[in-house]
């Protein structure tokens, strides 16, 4: 609850900003100090931008399924460190489910003689955009899974081998990682 003194101070700051005495940034900084104290100038939720600051992204709780699904998106271009099997497979599950949904939508919206309707064309564009956005975190989580097994991330290139490459990578993704710390970092399970 905000007390009356803090509220009047914020109103004074707002007047000073409106009169051009202080800038918007100075107003926000002073308001944060009033609301959260001088030691903490930002609430905890505002410091959640860990990838931008270089801090590690916290691992979600075991029961937080959505947290595990979006964890590779939070670590979007992070090719260093290690990832658990759960992180990989939860993201892969959603990636494959989206692919199946798009395929059924495309098959359902095709017109006679193999022509595509306008909706099918829009879904194709949406599918390609989603694929382009999700391919980087998919490769990054595969690299981190190889790191978890104390292997080089370059093994991701096995995906380029026709017919069997992706199968080999999926089998390797199912293998457990090394327990304890290895050359790529600490154990993601510990």
């Amino acid at each position: 609850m905000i007390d009356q003194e803090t509220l009047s101070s914020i109103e004074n700051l707002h007047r000073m900003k409106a009169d051009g005495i202080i800038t918007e940034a100075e107003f926000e900084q002073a308001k944060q100090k009033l609301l959260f104290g001088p030691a903490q100038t930002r609430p905890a939720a505002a410091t959640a931008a860990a990838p931008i600051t270089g801090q590690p992204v916290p691992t979600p709780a075991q029961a937080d399924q959505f947290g595990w699904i979006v964890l590779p998106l939070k670590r979007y271009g992070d090719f260093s460190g290690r990832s658990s099997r759960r992180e990989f497979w939860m993201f892969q599950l959603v990636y494959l489910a989206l692919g199946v949904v798009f395929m059924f939508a495309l098959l359902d919206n095709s017109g006679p003689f193999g022509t595509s309707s306008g909706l099918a064309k829009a879904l194709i564009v949406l599918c390609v955009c989603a694929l382009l956005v999700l391919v980087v975190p998919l490769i990054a989580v595969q690299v981190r899974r190889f790191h978890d097994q104390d292997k080089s991330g370059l093994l991701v290139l096995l995906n380029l081998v026709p017919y069997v490459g992706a199968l080999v990578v999926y089998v390797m993704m199912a293998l457990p990682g090394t327990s304890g710390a290895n050359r790529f970092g600490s154990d993601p399970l510990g």
Side-chain angles (χ1 to χ4, degrees):
M1 196 77 174
I2 299 175
D3 61 343
Q4 198 62 26
E5 182 182 337
T6 305
L7 188 58
S8 66
S9 296
I10 291 174
E11 289 173 351
N12 287 336
L13 283 172
H14 189 34
R15 271 190 236 108
M16 290 171 64
K17 182 184 78 164
D19 293 335
I21 298 171
I22 60 173
T23 65
E24 177 74 30
E26 291 170 332
F27 169 75
E28 286 299 323
Q29 185 178 19
K31 184 176 77 170
Q32 293 294 326
K33 283 182 182 177
L34 282 171
L35 293 174
F36 302 106
Q40 180 183 359
T41 58
R42 297 170 131 194
T47 61
I52 296 172
T53 61
Q55 299 171 357
V57 177
T59 306
Q62 284 294 104
D64 184 13
Q65 305 302 331
F66 185 74
W68 284 101
I69 290 169
V70 299
L71 185 59
L73 295 175
K74 289 180 180 178
R75 297 176 70 184
Y76 188 82
D78 184 11
F79 291 87
S80 62
R82 297 168 64 177
S83 287
S84 64
R85 287 186 284 185
R86 183 179 187 132
E87 181 181 347
F88 173 78
W89 288 110
M90 291 299 286
F91 185 67
Q92 189 66 35
L93 176 74
V94 170
Y95 190 78
L96 291 174
L98 285 173
V100 168
V101 167
F102 281 129
M103 290 305 294
F104 278 119
L106 290 175
L107 291 174
D108 189 42
N109 287 315
S110 61
F113 308 112
T115 60
S116 296
S117 66
L119 180 60
K121 289 178 184 177
L123 284 174
I124 290 172
V125 169
L126 184 64
C127 182
V128 169
C129 289
L131 225 166
L132 290 175
V133 167
L134 294 177
V135 74
V136 172
L138 183 65
I139 292 171
V141 77
Q142 284 182 353
V143 167
R144 292 192 306 267
R145 277 296 300 140
F146 280 122
H147 288 175
D148 189 41
Q149 299 167 6
D150 206 16
K151 294 180 173 64
S152 171
L154 290 175
L155 288 172
V156 166
L157 297 175
L158 287 172
N159 283 313
L160 300 175
V161 176
Y163 306 114
V164 295
L167 181 65
V168 170
V169 169
Y170 278 127
V171 168
M172 293 179 84
M173 294 295 107
L175 297 175
T178 57
S179 59
N182 66 17
R183 63 186 167 139
F184 296 105
S186 61
D187 193 352
L189 300 175

